[in-house]
Amino acid sequence: MRVFYRVATATLAFAVLILLCTAAKRSPVTIFMIGDSTMADKSLANGSEERGWGMVLQGFFTDKVVVDNHAVNGRSSKSFINEGRWDAVLAKMKKGDYVFIQFGHNDEKPQPDRHTDAGSTFDANLARFVNEARAKGGIPVLFSCVVRRNFQSEAKLGDDDEKLRNSVYEGETNVGNVLIDTHGDYAVAPKRVAQQLNVPFVDANAITHRLEQEMGAEASKQLHLWYLPGQHPAHPKGRQDNTHYSVYGAHVVAGLLVDEIARQVPALRKYVRHYDYIVSDEGRGNFLTLQQAVDAVPAGQKATVRVLHGQWNRPQVPKGKNVKLSVSCNATVK
């Protein structure tokens, strides 16, 4: 009788899960994301640990929300429009869908195919995204650009953040204790447009500035892609990249931003979740395999592991670990 009770309970739970997944897939809340490399999905080739904060955002929502990330490396508000990427998003957008809009890193670049002016053409492009999304029944949310890690009084910024993927370790000089702004009015313009058009606004610049400043010049390197020579096989000469996020950095930033999203867009608050560990074989979690996540749980502690993507065998859980699995509709655990 006891065995039957356990089996019956498991079967009932599985049936409920199927029903919930069916309901979620039938009427999901879709969040489109448009922006640059700090938000974009990344390749996992050669063991790359670069992630955009938008790439990992799905792990902070229930299955009722679907994150459809259209952000692309190197794009500005101008090039995103001119390449037809915005039209592609509009074509998919339905009434009630959200669009998260974050540009600035590349709008400030001098290249004519990307450059816009804060206070004029940049603001006009942001307003276009807002107005055209609303015309389709969508709900736009404006974000200011995230900060660059810049504690140097004379930082070597270069003319293109995308070139940082080919950087080598050189170390830093003239390092201080204060994070120095690199965006100027490009970080202010989205708030200005949001106020003018009555749009929800997430001040990602202020949130990430506070994060990097509190961590300090040395610890904040963990948020980004800093490798000493020989530390990472894909970067034998090392790498120092103060713009793009590591796996750790993307998750920290996404976790902070999703809480602000919940404050600025109350309708999304009920879908927000924070899990101890997130597993995705697509690189959208902080672990690529379920067993890795279970192994990371400290002995004697309780932890919830969100299984976001992939097909997995039930993991081996050592004695002393209390692990709860939260399995997404897009994953299976046998």
Side-chain angles (χ1 to χ4, degrees), residues 56 60 246-256 278 283-287:
V56 305
F60 292 87
S246 64
V247 174
Y248 169 76
H251 280 270
V252 172
V253 170
L256 293 173
I278 304 170
R284 301 180 189 279
N286 43 17
F287 288 96

Side-chain angles (χ1 to χ4, degrees), residues 2-321:
R2 181 175 298 175
V3 173
F4 174 77
Y5 176 79
R6 288 178 178 173
V7 172
T9 303
T11 302
L12 176 60
F14 182 65
V16 170
L17 177 63
I18 290 175
L19 291 173
L20 290 174
C21 285
T22 300
K25 290 180 178 179
R26 186 168 55 244
S27 55
V29 176
T30 300
I31 296 174
F32 294 100
M33 305 189 76
I34 64 172
D36 54 41
S37 58
T38 60
M39 178 192 273
D41 288 358
K42 310 293 179 176
S43 169
L44 306 184
N46 300 317
S48 174
E49 296 180 353
E50 182 180 332
R51 304 288 189 270
W53 71 264
M55 180 176 180
V56 305
L57 188 63
Q58 184 70 67
F60 292 87
F61 285 108
T62 68
D63 285 318
K64 183 67 175 177
V65 169
V66 173
V67 175
D68 190 355
N69 191 6
H70 289 255
V72 181
N73 293 356
R75 269 52 180 189
S76 68
S77 65
K78 179 179 182 179
S79 61
F80 197 88
I81 291 170
N82 288 346
E83 292 174 2
R85 298 179 185 277
W86 175 234
D87 286 340
V89 172
L90 280 176
K92 296 177 67 176
M93 192 176 297
K94 315 183 299 295
K95 182 177 181 181
D97 288 342
Y98 292 83
V99 57
F100 291 177
I101 305 159
Q102 183 184 66
F103 290 97
H105 273 261
N106 298 305
D107 285 79
E108 65 193 40
K109 300 301 183 183
Q111 292 91 337
D113 63 329
R114 296 193 290 179
H115 182 76
T116 63
D117 292 314
S120 61
T121 49
F122 183 43
D123 298 49
N125 286 342
L126 296 179
R128 175 177 173 175
F129 293 139
V130 168
N131 291 328
E132 292 184 356
R134 283 175 165 170
K136 287 293 297 282
I139 304 167
V141 182
L142 282 169
F143 290 69
S144 54
C145 48
V146 295
V147 299
R148 295 185 182 92
R149 178 192 165 276
N150 177 33
F151 287 91
Q152 293 177 272
S153 57
E154 298 179 2
K156 182 180 178 182
L157 296 176
D159 63 348
D160 191 342
D161 289 315
E162 301 310 303
K163 293 178 181 177
L164 292 169
R165 295 188 181 87
N166 299 318
S167 66
V168 299
Y169 179 82
E170 297 177 343
E172 291 180 307
T173 58
N174 302 317
V175 178
N177 297 319
V178 178
L179 187 76
I180 300 172
D181 171 65
T182 67
H183 292 305
D185 199 33
Y186 290 91
V188 179
K191 182 177 182 179
R192 180 168 59 235
V193 175
Q195 291 172 336
Q196 292 170 350
L197 299 180
N198 192 28
V199 180
F201 172 67
V202 174
D203 198 345
N205 191 265
I207 291 168
T208 52
H209 189 286
R210 184 164 54 249
L211 168 65
E212 305 243 8
Q213 183 64 67
E214 289 176 353
M215 291 185 73
E218 187 61 32
S220 61
K221 293 177 182 178
Q222 300 173 53
L223 299 170
H224 300 282
L225 295 154
W226 273 72
Y227 303 117
L228 294 171
Q231 187 177 359
H232 194 287
H235 307 281
K237 295 183 179 180
R239 175 176 172 179
Q240 56 186 64
D241 181 338
N242 291 317
T243 296
H244 304 107
Y245 291 122
S246 64
V247 174
Y248 169 76
H251 280 270
V252 172
V253 170
L256 293 173
L257 293 183
V258 79
D259 286 339
E260 185 62 16
I261 290 165
R263 284 187 283 270
Q264 300 301 327
V265 190
L268 291 176
R269 184 180 303 148
K270 60 186 176 182
Y271 305 122
V272 171
R273 299 289 186 274
H274 286 273
Y275 301 99
D276 299 301
Y277 304 95
I278 304 170
V279 176
S280 168
D281 60 0
E282 298 178 0
R284 301 180 189 279
N286 43 17
F287 288 96
L288 291 171
T289 75
L290 179 52
Q291 191 62 55
Q292 286 176 336
V294 171
D295 291 344
V297 177
Q301 292 189 16
K302 294 181 179 180
T304 299
V305 176
R306 175 65 163 170
V307 188
L308 196 60
H309 301 108
Q311 297 182 0
W312 310 102
N313 294 321
R314 189 164 293 276
Q316 298 295 317
V317 182
K319 291 182 179 180
K321 293 189 178 185

